[in-house]
Amino acid sequence: MKDADLPPHMRPERSFQGLILALQRFWADWGCVILQPYDMEVGAGTFHPATTLRALGPRPWNAAYVQPSRRPKDGRYGENPNRLQHYYQFQVILKPSPPDLQELYLKSLYAIGIDPAVHDIRFVEDDWESPTLGAWGLGWECWCDGMEVSQFTYFQQVAGFECRPVSGELTYGLERLAMYVQGVDRVFDLNFNGRDDARKVTYGDVFLQAEQEYSRHNFEHADVEMLFEQFKMAEAACRKYLEAGWADGGEDAKTRRHLMALPAYDQCIKASHVFNLLDARGVISVTERQSYILRVRELARACGEAWLATEAGGAA
Amino acid sequence: MPDLLLELLSEEIPARMQARAADDLKKLVTDRLVDAGLVYEGARAFATPRRLALWVQGLPVMQPAVREERRGPRVGAPEKAIEGFLKSAGLTSIEQAKIERDAKKGAFYVAVIERPGRATIDLLAEILPDVIRTFPWPKSMRWANGSLNWVRPLHSIVATFGPETEEPDIVPFAVDGIAAGDITRGHRFLAPEPFAVRRLDDYVAKLERAKVVLDAARRQEIILADAKNLAFAQGYELVEDAGLAAEVAGLVEWPVVLMGAFDESFLSIPPEVIRTTIRNNQKCFVLRKPDGSLAPRFILVANTEPADGGRAIVAGNERVIRARLADAKFFYETDLKTPLERRLPKLKEIIFHEKLGTQAERVERIERLARELAPAVGADPDKAARAARLAKADLVTEMVGEFPELQGLMGKYYALAQGEEESVASALEEHYKPLGPSDRVPTDPVAVAVALADKIDTLVGFWAIDEKPTGSKDPYALRRAALGVIRIVLENALRLNLQPILWRHFASVRRDEALAEAVAALEPLQRDIEALSASDIELAIKLEVLISRSGTAHVMRGSLVQAHSDLGEAGSLLAFFADRLKVQLREQGARHDLVDAVFALEGQDDLLLIVRRIEALARFLDSEDGKNLLAGYKRATNIIRIEEKKDGRTYAGAPRAELYDQAEERELAAAIAEAKREAEAAVAREDFEQAMQAIARLRPFVDAFFDKVTVNVDMPARRENRLKLLNEIREATRAVADFSKIEG
């Protein structure tokens, strides 16, 4: 898969976008649908309905996509060489998990310039859990020469429901991988477009200002009152859509159908992000924190239940 | 004799689970073999990150045949009985049974049931899949469409069975679509091609050629030896870390040791932080310079033989460690900017326990208690209070947020940096000690005061909300806390009366001022109150009477009742200490009956005195006088017990001197009075040797009494008086211990 014919500026080890393109090509070639990022603020690629909801139910599903991820608390005003409040994840979800998933993953690393003949690739225990999504799975963090570059998970439960079949999920930390293959110590120094002349654009050129501005916003100025209100609204809307979405006559748990699982789930995503912002603002106490997490999880569970009553969720 | 080789090849097994899994595999399979009557010569189990393997040596080819004789009805018994017998014994006609006779019953039928043994390989084909399906992984998972639960996806199974001289057979079974065979694979990157194996010897050898060291202990040895050599070659010394070596041995099938470096400037961070960062996050070892200080180097263990000799791997690890240390340095320097004192408000946001409030409230209680304990442990009360106040402040620093195991230690560094007094600063670290039975105990008085306050607060707190440990459940590690208190007290030879300390602290935990006032008022009357058992309004009245007699101010009735009940709780907590002390002393070889004999005395809440008394008692009982006195005591109490039972009354109370008839009686009475006085005085001086000796002086008088005096005489008054005199022996010994608890 490693394409020697690529022009230098397109190569994954020289260009951030080249790395993304290489991963997309690799997984497209394997048979995934390549999706575009979900158009909402999420904390991780897992929140994309293409993972959360599609992991539920019996239908096979293979998808890969880049997902911009927001972690308001991780903002460092652009001053930390590694931490960002907005970064990219490359997400692969394969249902059922193929038997050679580890091999595929290693080949994908090879495709972006990480050769296991000279690097030390390790699968180190890391059990994944998302309290807000009511999801957990077993797997590893994948190390390359001591650096965690991906998360590898076999989903066991999502939204409180058992996954049958089990999906395999790969999450590549794109900035980390790019820093590694480009040999860069500061994320903002990453070469974004692979050019070395006047046309060179760095990650800092694209995102440094945003990191500074959003850090100010997340920690100091995000409108707390509005956010509290938004949380309540999103929560209420989610419940409203869920209730309205049950088709008439759907008393029987086996045959009932839901017609609005996706719009309802959007509101769950919304609530989750708003909670993250409130958390970053430091206005949620330790005790309240748990109850907010439980409220989001409850929404996720109800959305999962609705999804399982849709066609894509496998309802007959 | 044939052997079994089993290998389960999977995706990467968590390092922490491997050793246990190997043991479980061995135990589960061999237990089942033994259950089936299959005796084996030996068994060994192995684990690597990707495989569990088991070797069972010297199994029989066949299960032994079983022959059983079943006795049936007598010859000539009714048809029904015969039929039933045939059915139960699996015979088709009575001719198949033999006839035996005995003297009583005459002739009767005996069925001989013979079950031929099954082929071992067939039994294995049943046992192995069963063990795999029900394997006790601490956490297991499903994958793809399967239903099997394994720690991570299982890829292949090797199961061969056969003698050394022949080509072994494959044990015929399959689990969830994976058929057992004789094919395995080597190292994931270095030798991924499949190959066939026969038995343990060729399996181990072929794996080794395929870059897999099967035995975890050997991998660990290789890691340690190579790491030491590599360090030595560069003029450094490896900081040995057996736990890390074992963990790393579980992360690699083919260990390759490499050395990397980090910038000298990071050595300004405390060495423990560097080590924790490098160890916990990167699973790498640190090195020492010849002068003992940390070297700017680390040792990593790769799982491959890299084509470039390790350049890329070392460079990659160096980059990660650089970033980690930069983070740690940033945390450290950021933390240094905020004095610990200013962090205290943040503790209000940390819930210690739902029913016990926040860390801030806990700190307040510990501060109060540490100040109170300070004089008794020889600490300056202000310093103890200061240390207690700052003890938990580092919990809200960046560094401890990142590395919780550095709690206490970071507190010390930050306290020193902000100019706190040395003993205060080190108390921040030391007050968590001892963390286990092998951990050392704090000795500086300030640290001792805070350590005791911290642990007592935890214990009283969970006692107050009725979260006492039960059976094997001890989620808040209260046993460890109690043992910590015991060791701190004993190893520092501290004199503390625990009961009032615990009692007062209940009011603190309950955040009840009125209660504190009640306890203060009642404290001088502690012994009287302990005697009260009522729990209603009458109790309150009795308490009020006590209070008014003591002339203290009016205290609310409710508080009096609560104070009474807390005194009971303090007693229960004290009994918990007693239990822990018993366990501790027993482990050190002290006789448990002596422990009981001392604990049975009233008002024992000074741990140091208790232990000294037990020691003195043990020495006493080892002496000739001690042994004889104990014999005399037993004889006296036996007589009293028998007579009391016979008469349905007790013989307590002082004997009357005018009823003494023989010289031996008078002499014994005088000796008892003298011994009691001396013993009590010696106990008051805490001189238990002297007290024991005083009691020991009774011996000739007791012996003479039993020699010359008859207790059960016809004159009832004299008999009663003699029994009472015997009872006095019992009373006298109570000055030093409750002899009735002593065995032998």
Side-chain angles (χ1 to χ4, degrees), chain A residues 97 99 102-103 117-118 120 122 125 127 139-140 143 145-147 154 156 162-163 165-166 179-180 183 185 286, chain B residues 11-12 14 16 139 141-142 144-145 152-153 155 188 281-282 301-303 306-307 313 316-317 319-320 322 349:
Chain A
S97 60
Q102 279 187 313
E103 298 307 316
V118 289
D120 186 26
R122 223 75 80 65
E125 178 190 15
D127 301 341
W140 311 273
W143 285 19
D145 301 336
M147 180 170 63
Y154 291 99
Q156 303 295 298
E162 290 287 305
C163 297
V166 167
M179 284 166 75
Y180 196 71
D185 283 337
V286 184
Chain B
E11 298 179 10
E12 275 73 359
R16 66 188 170 92
K139 263 188 185 173
M141 54 163 276
R142 294 172 291 110
N145 287 300
R152 293 294 184 274
H155 280 269
R188 181 189 285 289
N281 292 327
Q282 297 311 127
V301 184
N303 183 35
I313 295 175
N317 276 277
R319 180 173 320 155
V320 183
R322 184 156 65 234
E349 292 165 27

Side-chain angles (χ1 to χ4, degrees), chain B residues 679-715:
Chain B
E680 277 165 5
V683 167
R685 293 195 310 272
E686 293 164 11
D687 187 341
F688 299 112
E689 300 294 337
Q690 277 297 325
M692 303 286 170
Q693 277 172 26
I695 297 294
R697 280 196 282 276
L698 282 178
R699 180 195 157 192
F701 302 98
V702 173
D703 290 350
F705 179 87
F706 281 125
D707 228 24
K708 299 275 157 53
V709 182
T710 310
V711 175
N712 283 319
V713 287
D714 279 341
M715 289 155 283

Side-chain angles (χ1 to χ4, degrees), chain B residues 346-379:
Chain B
K346 275 237 152 198
L347 294 178
K348 288 183 190 149
E349 292 165 27
I350 302 179
I351 305 287
F352 171 66
H353 182 281
E354 201 190 332
K355 291 181 184 162
L356 293 172
T358 64
Q359 281 286 5
E361 289 168 290
R362 191 164 127 75
V363 165
E364 259 177 52
R365 295 197 298 265
I366 297 175
E367 187 180 341
R368 198 177 321 158
L369 186 53
R371 183 183 285 283
E372 180 191 326
L373 293 171
V377 304

Side-chain angles (χ1 to χ4, degrees), chain A residues 58 76 79-83 96-103 106 116-127 136-141 143-148 152 154-157 162-167 176 179-185 282 284-287, chain B residues 10-17 50 139-147 149-153 155 188-189 248 251-252 280-283 300-308 310 312-320 322-324 326-327 330-331 349-351 398 402:
Chain A
R76 292 294 182 270
E79 285 164 16
N80 186 288
N82 304 300
R83 290 216 196 189
S97 60
D100 57 346
L101 187 51
Q102 279 187 313
E103 298 307 316
L106 293 169
V118 289
H119 293 284
D120 186 26
I121 317 278
R122 223 75 80 65
F123 295 90
V124 180
E125 178 190 15
D126 191 33
D127 301 341
W136 70 275
L138 297 190
W140 311 273
E141 45 182 57
W143 285 19
C144 174
D145 301 336
M147 180 170 63
E148 183 194 346
F152 190 132
Y154 291 99
F155 281 160
Q156 303 295 298
Q157 217 180 56
E162 290 287 305
C163 297
R164 281 182 197 275
V166 167
S167 302
R176 278 191 179 205
M179 284 166 75
Y180 196 71
V181 294
Q182 288 190 26
V184 161
D185 283 337
I284 293 184
S285 75
V286 184
T287 28
Chain B
S10 68
E11 298 179 10
E12 275 73 359
I13 307 166
R16 66 188 170 92
M17 299 179 189
R50 290 177 72 204
K139 263 188 185 173
S140 60
M141 54 163 276
R142 294 172 291 110
W143 60 95
N145 287 300
S147 60
N149 274 281
W150 199 246
V151 64
R152 293 294 184 274
H155 280 269
R188 181 189 285 289
F189 302 113
V248 175
L251 291 172
V252 296
N280 294 20
N281 292 327
Q282 297 311 127
K283 318 285 182 214
L300 72 98
V301 184
N303 183 35
T304 190
E305 275 173 356
D308 67 351
I313 295 175
V314 168
N317 276 277
E318 283 179 346
R319 180 173 320 155
V320 183
R322 184 156 65 234
R324 293 279 189 190
D327 268 355
F330 175 77
F331 290 148
E349 292 165 27
I350 302 179
I351 305 287
E398 300 272 345
E402 192 72 13

Side-chain angles (χ1 to χ4, degrees), chain A residues 203-236:
Chain A
Y203 195 90
D205 294 333
V206 182
F207 285 120
L208 180 56
Q209 183 184 328
E211 279 302 311
Q212 294 161 342
E213 292 189 3
Y214 276 104
S215 293
R216 271 174 226 132
H217 165 266
N218 299 344
F219 293 122
E220 302 164 48
H221 298 286
D223 187 332
V224 172
E225 239 170 88
M226 177 195 74
L227 289 170
F228 275 123
E229 205 49 42
Q230 280 185 347
F231 185 89
K232 273 187 238 155
M233 289 169 75
E235 186 182 34

